[in-house]
Structures are given as structure tokens and as C-alpha cells.
């Protein structure tokens, strides 16, 4: 715990002390603690946590204890509050810790979960949950549907306490404002924890039935498998993002004049998609399309990308191959889906005079029409070392002027609405290629004079437009 900040260390110790006070009643002589049930549940939770530390399983095991929350909630339903809190402690200390300081993290996790389970058990007991579950092996059936009420209330308390503690430790360790540290924690946790509560209720009912504890494992096993699959999905998604970051960094290193451009085109594409009401999964793929739209520049000679003077006809033809190069680079990346078509066709024009295939109107894929507008908008508003950027209102007017010939009017209108709602932060790139913040523009009341006046120095872009309306 020495590597932990003083405030965070004091907070962890305070929570650990509270957890110790919660479990103390279960340790007193004559407390009537059901040690057999407690030992079985604690041992089962420990066994669930241990595989994460075995080299045989490695990183394929879920790191967090979220996979086993149904087991902890079953303990809250079956045991008195102090005894239920004890169930979480052995497994919390034994579980895998990814980042240092390991000791502080283990103490925190044990104290946090002990307090959380104690609170859930208290709420369950106050609402008559233990009586509603029926007696162990006595042939008494649970009082359904009433048993659902204390179980759901306990899951709600579980979620509230866990979210509050998660936010508090973030505020203490990272010096974040409390409101920011807590933002979004409860909404994200509430749904899954209610599902865990229902699974824990099923475990508790089976545990108390004539079939006994062994039958309860049939609930835990599918829950664990589903959580494992979910964890694998998140790891795969993280690998996707890492792949995209690597490609974008390669482009930024090669073409320092447009460093940061890809990320901003992705952001502008999402702005348009939100205004169009696209489904969330399509918005994410569209963001990938915006970020990777210029990945084909990896196939263009660096001397052509960084040339200061006018391009020769041959060099222009080489530049115009970058959408096809990009499509070849990403063709085998299955998760990109529609993004591949956007990368190939984002330089097509509505009037059919674009490249590489001269598609017109609705022949151009929807994602490509979105990325074309986002690409041109950022190209106009970003200040480069070779020319200043336009103000946001001027860039929007230019897009509107070209709508119907170069750009899809629907996409232009969507971008204009999004800018009115959220504004825009452009950026500048120094002569060394380092990105620095630029002026904020867009939105109602934006000063038309904000930003630098138009004054391009570099030659026209390969598709014949002024460099302000379309980047190379």
C-alpha cells in the first residue's frame, strides 16, 4: 500500500475498518453463524477466483469478480449479513490483480465486496427475504412471487453500494471530482446486477431445496460461461481498437501535414450519424471508417505526400490510388464491415466526377457520403503549417455550396445540425508535425471571424478542388 497516495490509502483503511465491523457479529461466540454454508460458499467463491492466477488459463479468465456476483448475492440471501460479508473475503484476496500496488488493491477489493454483500444481506433480511425462501430441506416451497421483491431490492442495494464505493476510490486515488468519478457508474451496473440478483435467487432456492448445494452449481456454471464469453468479446474489441490505432499512427507518421486529421474525421462522422439516427453498432463502424479513410496513404510515396510544390499529372494519379490501397489494406479485417466501402469510395462525388470509379448519387455507399463531408469539413477548418484554417461557419457554407454536386445534401445538413448542438474544436499542426489546439467554432452565436482567414499556399487537391474543400 506504500505506492498508493495518502488520501487513497486512508480511504482504503477506513473502508476495511467498516468491513471488519460488519463481519464482527458473525465471529462472536453464540452468534449462531451457519459455518457449513458459509464455508461452502466461501470455498466456492475462492475456487472461482483462483483460475485467473493459473498460467494454464492465463488472460482468458475474467479479471474482475463480476462473473461471480450471483454467488455473492446467493450468500446475501442465504446467510445473516455478517456471515454473508465473510464469503467475499478469501476469494477477493486470492484473485488476480493486474496492476500495482497489488496489496492495496486486494485489501480494497475484499473490503469493498464485504461491505457490498453486507448491505445486500441487510436489505434482504429487512424485507423478510430469508423467510420467503423457505426452510432448508424441509419441503417448504419459497413464497413466489414475493421472494422476488427482497431479492431485487438486495440487488439494487448491492449495485448502489458497489457503485458508490467505486466512484469514491476513483475520486480519492485519481483526485477526480466526486461527480465526475460517479458519473455513469450506477446506470451501467444496475441492469447486470439485477440479472445477477435473479441468478443468485435461483441458487439460493436450489440450495435450500431437497436437492442441496450441488444443484445450485447448475446456476453458477452457465452464468460463469456467459461472463467468460462477454470478457472474451471485450478483449477482442480492445484488439480491434489497437489494430486501428496502429494503422492511424502509421499514417500520421508518414503524412505529418495531416496528423490528427483521421481522429477528427471519425468524430465528425459520428456527429453526422447521430443526427441521422443511425443504430449504435453502425455508428461505431462509421467511426472506424472515418478514422481509417486515409489508411491507403501508406501505399503512396512519402515524397509525394510531403511535396511542397505543384503535383505532376503522374503524381496526382498516384495520390488518387490511395482509396484503393486503403481498401486492399483493410479488406481482410472482417469487423470493419461497411467501413471498407467508405474507405474505397470517400472521394466519389455526387455528380459522378469523383474517383476511383466515378460513382454518382445513391450508387455511392452511405458511409462514403458521410465520410466525404466529414473529411472535407476537417480539411477546411484545420490549421496546417502551410495554410490557416477557415472558420467553422465559412466551412459549413462551402459544404452547402457544394451540396448536390460534390456532397450529399442530407449529410451536409446533418453536420450543420450537429455543429449547432455541440460545436467543434479544430486544431493546428506545426511545421514539425506536432498537433496543437485550435480555436473552437460552430454552434449558435459562433463568431464568423473566429479562426484564420482562408489563404491556401499548397497546390490544388488531386480532385481539382481548392485545398480548403478537400484534403489530399
Amino acid at each position: 500500500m506504500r505506492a498508493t497516495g495518502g488520501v487513497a490509502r486512508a480511504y482504503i483503511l477506513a473502508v476495511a475498518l467498516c468491513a471488519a465491523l460488519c463481519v464482527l457479529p458473525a465471529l462472536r461466540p453464540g452468534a449462531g453463524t451457519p459455518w457449513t454454508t458459509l464455508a461452502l460458499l466461501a470455498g466456492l467463491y475462492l475456487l472461482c477466483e483462483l483460475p485467473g492466477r493459473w498460467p494454464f488459463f492465463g488472460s482468458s479468465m475474467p479479471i474482475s469478480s463480476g462473473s461471480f456476483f450471483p454467488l455473492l448475492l446467493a450468500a446475501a440471501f442465504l446467510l445473516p449479513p455478517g456471515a454473508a460479508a465473510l464469503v467475499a473475503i478469501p476469494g477477493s484476496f486470492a484473485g488476480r490483480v493486474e496492476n500495482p500496488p497489488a496489496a492495496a488493491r486486494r485489501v480494497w477489493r475484499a473490503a469493498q465486496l464485504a461491505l457490498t454483500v453486507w448491505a445486500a444481506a441487510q436489505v434482504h433480511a429487512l424485507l423478510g427475504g430469508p423467510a420467503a425462501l423457505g426452510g432448508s430441506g424441509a419441503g417448504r416451497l419459497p413464497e413466489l412471487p414475493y421472494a422476488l421483491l427482497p431479492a431485487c431490492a438486495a440487488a439494487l442495494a448491492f449495485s448502489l453500494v458497489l457503485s458508490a464505493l467505486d466512484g469514491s476510490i476513483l475520486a480519492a486515488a485519481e483526485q477526480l471530482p466526486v461527480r465526475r468519478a460517479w458519473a455513469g457508474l450506477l446506470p451501467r451496473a444496475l441492469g447486470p446486477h439485477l440479472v445477477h440478483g435473479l441468478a443468485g435467487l435461483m441458487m439460493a432456492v436450489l440450495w435450500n431445496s431437497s436437492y442441496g448445494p450441488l444443484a445450485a452449481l447448475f446456476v453458477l456454471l452457465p452464468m460463469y460461461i456467459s461472463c467468460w464469453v462477454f470478457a472474451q468479446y471485450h478483449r477482442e474489441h480492445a484488439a480491434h481498437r489497437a489494430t486501428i490505432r496502429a494503422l492511424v499512427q502509421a499514417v500520421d507518421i508518414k503524412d505529418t501535414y495531416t496528423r490528427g486529421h483521421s481522429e477528427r474525421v471519425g468524430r465528425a462522422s459520428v456527429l453526422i450519424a447521430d443526427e441521422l439516427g443511425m443504430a449504435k453498432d453502425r455508428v461505431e463502424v462509421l467511426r472506424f471508417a472515418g478514422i481509417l479513410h486515409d489508411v491507403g496513404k501508406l501505399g503512396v510515396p512519402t515524397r509525394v505526400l510531403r511535396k511542397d510544390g505543384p503535383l505532376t499529372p503522374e503524381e496526382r494519379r498516384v495520390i488518387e490510388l490511395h482509396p484503393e490501397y486503403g481498401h486492399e489494406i483493410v479488406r481482410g479485417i472482417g469487423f470493419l464491415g461497411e467501413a471498407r466501402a467508405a474507405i474505397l469510395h470517400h472521394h466519389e462525388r455526387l455528380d459522378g466526377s469523383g474517383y476511383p470509379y466515378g460513382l454518382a448519387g445513391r450508387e455511392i455507399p452511405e458511409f462514403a457520403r458521410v465520410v466525404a463531408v466529414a473529411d472535407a469539413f476537417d480539411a477546411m477548418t484545420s490549421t496546417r503549417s502551410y495554410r490557416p484554417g477557415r472558420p467553422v461557419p465559412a466551412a459549413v457554407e462551402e459544404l452547402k455550396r457544394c451540396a448536390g454536386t460534390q456532397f450529399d445534401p442530407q449529410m451536409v445538413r446533418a453536420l450543420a445540425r450537429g455543429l449547432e448542438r455541440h460545436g467543434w474544436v479544430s486544431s493546428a499542426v506545426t511545421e514539425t508535425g506536432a498537433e496543437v489546439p485550435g480555436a473552437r467554432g460552430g454552434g449558435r452565436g459562433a463568431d464568423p471571424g473566429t479562426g484564420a482567414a482562408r489563404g491556401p499556399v499548397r497546390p490544388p487537391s488531386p480532385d481539382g478542388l481548392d485545398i480548403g474543400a478537400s484534403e489530399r
Side-chain angles (χ1 to χ4, degrees):
M1 295 176 67
R2 292 178 181 174
T4 310
V7 175
R9 185 162 58 246
Y11 183 69
I12 291 171
L13 291 174
V15 173
L17 179 60
C18 290
L21 292 174
C22 289
V23 304
L24 191 59
L27 301 176
R28 289 175 180 166
T33 301
W35 289 106
T36 302
T37 301
L38 191 158
L40 286 172
L41 287 168
L44 186 57
Y45 180 64
L46 176 63
L47 286 174
C48 288
E49 289 281 2
L50 281 177
R53 303 185 67 177
W54 294 347
F56 176 77
F57 292 100
S59 62
S60 65
M61 302 299 292
I63 295 171
S64 72
S65 56
S67 312
F68 321 116
F69 283 169
L71 181 58
L72 295 180
L73 283 161
F77 301 154
L78 290 166
L79 297 169
L86 281 170
V87 170
I89 294 176
S92 299
F93 277 110
R96 183 173 63 184
V97 174
E98 285 278 298
N99 301 310
R105 290 180 182 274
R106 287 197 171 97
V107 170
W108 167 252
R109 184 163 60 185
Q112 178 193 36
L113 289 179
L115 270 180
T116 303
V117 176
W118 178 87
Q122 284 282 12
V123 171
H124 189 256
L126 286 173
L127 294 175
L133 286 178
S136 177
R140 183 181 166 193
L141 296 176
E143 298 176 11
L144 294 173
Y146 178 76
L148 293 171
L149 175 61
C152 290
L156 176 60
F158 187 96
S159 189
L160 284 169
V161 174
L162 192 64
S163 298
L165 291 172
D166 277 338
S168 299
I169 192 62
L170 277 176
E174 305 293 338
Q175 302 298 306
L176 295 175
V178 174
R179 186 174 179 179
R180 181 181 168 192
W182 281 342
L185 288 178
L186 182 60
R188 289 196 299 268
L190 189 56
H193 289 163
L194 286 173
V195 174
H196 293 153
L198 294 176
L201 177 62
M202 286 188 285
M203 286 189 67
V205 169
L206 289 171
W207 194 287
N208 273 348
S209 72
S210 57
Y211 298 104
L214 188 61
L217 296 180
F218 288 103
V219 177
L220 181 63
L221 184 60
M223 285 295 295
Y224 177 74
I225 292 173
S226 66
C227 289
W228 180 82
V229 171
F230 193 64
Q232 293 298 97
Y233 164 77
H234 276 286
R235 289 190 182 92
E236 183 179 350
H237 198 62
H240 294 170
R241 292 195 299 269
T243 300
I244 289 171
R245 279 197 303 272
L247 288 171
V248 171
Q249 286 171 358
V251 174
D252 285 347
I253 290 170
K254 184 160 188 172
D255 188 5
T256 56
Y257 284 118
T258 58
R259 181 164 295 174
H261 169 67
S262 298
E263 292 287 347
R264 293 192 302 275
V265 171
R267 185 154 47 90
S269 298
V270 170
L271 206 63
I272 296 171
D274 288 342
E275 291 298 320
L276 295 175
M278 281 190 186
K280 188 175 180 180
D281 56 340
R282 294 191 74 215
V283 172
E284 180 70 1
V285 176
L286 178 58
R287 186 176 72 86
F288 291 158
I291 290 173
L292 293 175
H293 74 286
D294 273 344
V295 70
K297 286 183 177 179
L298 293 174
V300 177
T302 304
R303 62 176 178 79
V304 176
L305 289 176
R306 299 187 182 183
K307 186 175 181 180
D308 290 327
L311 297 177
T312 66
E314 179 61 32
E315 289 169 337
R316 287 167 65 88
R317 283 192 292 271
V318 170
I319 285 279
E320 289 178 1
L321 289 173
H322 81 268
E324 294 178 275
Y325 290 154
H327 186 257
E328 283 298 312
I329 290 171
V330 303
R331 187 171 60 177
I333 305 178
F335 69 86
L336 288 177
E338 292 181 81
R340 295 191 292 259
I343 292 167
L344 178 61
H345 296 296
H346 71 276
H347 276 298
E348 306 283 4
R349 295 172 51 125
L350 225 61
D351 60 6
S353 62
Y355 63 89
Y357 298 131
L359 302 183
R362 295 289 170 173
E363 294 178 340
I364 305 171
E366 182 183 25
F367 277 19
R369 285 179 272 133
V370 172
V371 172
V373 172
D375 184 21
F377 171 75
D378 183 69
M380 286 189 283
T381 56
S382 295
T383 297
R384 309 295 185 196
S385 60
Y386 50 83
R387 57 109 174 115
R390 299 187 191 186
V392 168
V396 173
E397 286 303 312
E398 179 70 8
L399 291 172
K400 290 179 178 177
R401 186 183 68 81
C402 296
T405 55
Q406 181 176 357
F407 305 115
D408 187 330
Q410 181 186 17
M411 308 309 174
V412 174
R413 289 193 297 268
L415 177 63
R417 290 195 303 270
L419 293 171
E420 285 185 359
R421 292 175 189 268
H422 306 290
W424 184 256
V425 179
S426 59
S427 64
V429 176
T430 67
E431 291 185 7
T432 61
E435 190 175 349
V436 296
R440 183 176 184 88
R444 288 189 178 90
D447 181 5
T450 303
R454 179 183 175 189
V457 177
R458 296 185 88 183
S461 66
D463 42 3
L465 294 176
D466 177 78
I467 194 70
S470 179
E471 197 68 55
R472 274 187 184 179

